[in-house]
C-alpha cells in the first residue's frame, strides 16, 4: 500500500505529522518558493517517471536566491531527496510533487529576509487532470493584470505572487470560464493563471517573451523543443497584443499541471474552428509520449523512480 509521507525538517515523516506553527513567517507573508513537478506513471513499463526534475530544481534554487532562502541542499541533493521520498511512498499513479522552501522563523513582525531562518519541505500527492475538460477549454481575459517583475518577480514560483494567479483563476471560474489569460500593465499578453501561452498563426507559433512577466515554464521550453526539433516549426518569442489572440488559428496553454491544453474560445469568440487545432494536437501527442518515458530521445528528461 502506498504511504503518504513528507520530507520535513530534514527527515521523512508521515504527511500528517508535517506541520508548522501559526507563527511561521511564510504563512503570513507568502515568503516562500515552491515547485510543481509531475511524476508520470507508465503502466506498460511498470515505472514512475519524474519529468525534468533537475530543471525544476534549478528554477527552485533561482527562486531561493531571489527570496534569500538559505537551504542546505543543492540540485543533486534535492533530486536524491525526491527520488528517495517517491520510492518510500510507493505510489504507482500520476503524481504532483511539491517542494517548498519557506521562511520558517516563528516570529511574524519582521520584514527583513536576511534575518529570518529558512527551511525546506517536500510532499507528494496523487494528481490526475488539472483542468477537467475534454477537448478545448474556454478562457477569458482577466481583469487582473499580471504581477510585474518590478513588484514581485514572476519568473520563479514565489508563493506570495500566486495571489495574483488565484484572483485571476477565481474570477474566471466564477464567471463560467475554465481559465484566465492575463495581460501585463502595458496590455501585452502575458500568460494563464498557471500556464504559459502559445498562439499559432499561418503555421508559425508565437509565444510571449519571458520578460512579459512569464514564469520561465519548463513545459513551455518542452513545447518549443518539440515544435522546432520534432515538427520543424518556427517559433517566434515576441510581444503579443490581446487582439492577436482573437485572430489566431490556434491557442494552447502549457504547464506542469495543465500539460498542453488547447484553448477553443476566448472572451466568447471561437479560436480558429473552436476545437483542438492540428498543431496543438501534434505537440500534445509528442509531449504525452515523452513525459510517459516512451521516447528514448528524451530519456534524460524522465528520471525513473526505483520502486519495489
Ligand atoms: N505560469 C504560471 C503562473 C505557472 O504557475 C505555471 C505552472 N508552474 C506555468 C506558467 C507553467 O510552468 P511549468 O511548465 O514550468 O510548470
Amino acid at each position: 500500500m502506498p504511504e503518504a509521507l513528507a520530507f520535513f525538517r530534514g527527515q521523512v515523516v508521515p504527511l500528517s505529522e508535517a506541520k508548522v506553527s501559526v507563527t511561521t513567517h511564510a504563512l503570513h507573508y507568502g515568503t516562500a518558493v515552491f515547485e510543481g513537478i509531475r511524476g508520470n506513471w507508465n503502466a506498460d513499463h511498470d515505472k514512475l517517471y519524474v519529468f525534468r526534475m533537475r530543471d525544476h530544481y534549478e528554477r527552485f534554487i533561482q527562486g531561493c536566491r531571489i527570496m534569500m532562502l538559505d537551504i542546505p541542499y543543492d540540485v543533486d541533493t534535492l533530486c536524491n531527496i525526491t527520488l528517495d521520498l517517491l520510492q518510500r511512498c510507493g505510489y504507482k499513479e500520476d503524481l504532483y510533487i511539491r517542494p517548498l522552501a519557506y521562511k520558517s522563523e516563528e516570529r511574524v513582525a519582521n520584514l527583513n529576509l536576511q534575518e529570518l531562518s529558512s527551511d525546506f519541505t517536500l510532499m507528494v500527492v496523487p494528481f490526475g487532470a488539472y483542468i477537467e475538460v475534454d477537448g478545448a477549454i474556454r478562457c477569458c481575459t482577466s481583469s487582473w493584470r499580471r504581477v510585474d517583475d518590478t513588484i514581485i518577480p514572476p519568473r520563479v514560483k514565489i508563493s506570495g505572487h500566486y495571489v495574483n494567479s488565484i484572483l485571476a483563476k477565481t474570477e474566471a471560474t466564477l464567471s463560467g470560464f475554465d481559465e484566465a489569460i492575463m495581460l501585463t500593465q502595458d496590455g501585452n499578453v502575458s500568460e494563464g493563471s498557471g500556464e504559459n501561452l502559445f498562439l499559432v498563426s499561418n503555421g508559425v507559433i508565437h509565444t510571449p517573451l519571458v520578460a512579459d512577466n512569464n514564469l520561465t515554464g519548463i513545459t513551455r521550453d518542452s513545447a518549443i523543443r518539440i515544435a522546432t526539433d520534432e515538427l520543424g516549426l518556427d517559433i517566434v518569442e515576441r510581444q503579443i497584443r490581446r487582439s492577436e489572440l482573437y485572430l489566431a488559428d490556434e491557442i494552447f496553454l502549457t504547464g506542469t499541471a495543465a500539460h498542453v491544453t488547447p484553448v477553443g474560445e476566448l472572451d466568447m469568440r471561437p479560436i480558429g474552428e473552436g476545437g483542438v487545432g492540428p498543431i496543438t494536437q501534434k505537440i500534445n501527442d509528442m509531449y504525452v509520449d515523452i513525459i510517459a518515458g516512451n521516447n528514448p530521445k528524451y530519456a534524460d528528461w524522465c528520471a525513473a523512480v526505483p520502486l519495489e
Side-chain angles (χ1 to χ4, degrees):
M1 273 294 282
E3 223 186 326
L5 302 170
F7 183 89
F8 183 65
R9 294 187 176 147
Q11 47 186 333
V12 175
V13 298
L15 184 58
S16 57
E17 289 174 20
K19 295 202 167 124
V20 296
S21 159
V22 292
T23 58
T24 304
H25 198 272
L27 182 62
H28 294 254
Y29 303 118
T31 44
V33 167
F34 69 97
E35 266 306 320
I37 313 174
R38 277 264 188 187
N40 300 297
W41 176 244
N42 185 321
D44 294 336
H45 296 191
D46 199 30
K47 276 206 167 78
L48 181 71
Y49 293 107
V50 186
F51 190 62
R52 299 192 68 171
M53 180 165 55
R54 287 196 68 83
D55 297 312
H56 279 283
Y57 278 123
E58 273 162 18
R59 184 172 68 189
F60 184 67
I61 295 289
Q62 288 177 352
C64 289
R65 286 174 61 186
I66 291 174
M67 288 301 291
M68 303 177 92
L69 284 153
D70 303 315
I71 56 164
Y73 311 116
D74 61 10
V75 169
D76 284 329
T77 313
L78 290 166
C79 290
N80 289 336
I81 289 171
T82 307
L83 291 174
D84 176 65
L85 187 71
L86 290 169
Q87 188 178 14
R88 293 204 209 189
C89 288
Y91 288 114
K92 295 190 170 186
E93 60 192 298
D94 290 344
L95 300 173
Y96 191 70
I97 302 162
R98 168 54 59 82
L100 179 79
Y102 62 104
K103 284 297 179 190
S104 53
E105 190 93 14
E106 296 184 353
R107 180 166 57 126
V108 291
N110 189 331
L111 300 187
N112 297 301
L113 287 177
Q114 72 277 18
E115 291 167 15
L116 302 168
S117 60
S118 309
D119 208 346
F120 169 79
T121 185
L122 171 69
M123 70 193 120
V124 179
V125 286
F127 194 65
Y130 172 63
I131 303 180
E132 296 279 358
V133 178
D134 235 5
I137 63 165
R138 299 176 60 242
C139 293
C140 61
T141 305
S142 184
S143 70
W144 296 99
R145 293 297 168 102
R146 181 70 178 140
V147 66
D148 190 84
D149 194 75
T150 56
I151 299 172
I152 309 173
R155 65 176 58 243
V156 291
K157 291 176 82 73
I158 297 171
S159 296
H161 81 55
Y162 270 82
V163 170
N164 180 229
S165 289
I166 288 164
L167 289 170
K169 177 79 173 185
T170 303
E171 177 191 58
T173 53
L174 285 177
S175 311
F177 297 98
D178 301 306
E179 186 53 283
I181 290 171
M182 284 185 281
L183 308 178
T184 65
Q185 282 295 356
D186 301 334
N188 294 320
V189 175
S190 183
E191 58 178 354
S193 71
E195 307 86 11
N196 294 110
L197 179 144
F198 292 81
L199 70 81
V200 183
S201 179
N202 296 322
V204 177
I205 304 182
H206 304 252
T207 192
L209 300 163
V210 169
D212 271 333
N213 298 325
N214 279 214
L215 186 84
T216 49
I218 288 159
T219 321
R220 175 187 188 272
D221 181 69
S222 306
I224 292 173
R225 294 272 293 274
I226 291 168
T228 51
D229 296 359
E230 303 297 330
L231 305 176
L233 296 167
D234 288 328
I235 296 242
V236 188
E237 294 181 53
R238 64 174 178 86
Q239 290 191 331
I240 295 174
R241 302 298 285 177
R242 173 180 185 167
S243 54
E244 294 183 64
L245 296 178
Y246 296 155
L247 304 177
D249 301 324
E250 302 178 33
I251 296 176
F252 60 92
L253 305 176
T254 61
T256 295
H259 296 310
V260 175
T261 298
V263 176
E265 190 186 304
L266 175 62
D267 298 339
M268 314 299 272
R269 293 157 176 83
I271 300 303
E273 315 253 298
V276 183
I279 290 180
T280 306
Q281 186 69 57
K282 277 190 197 147
I283 292 174
N284 186 49
D285 290 348
M286 287 224 65
Y287 172 77
V288 166
D289 203 47
I290 288 170
I291 64 168
N294 287 326
N295 188 330
K297 193 169 159 191
Y298 293 92
D300 61 335
W301 280 359
C302 302
V305 179
L307 293 170
E308 299 280 290

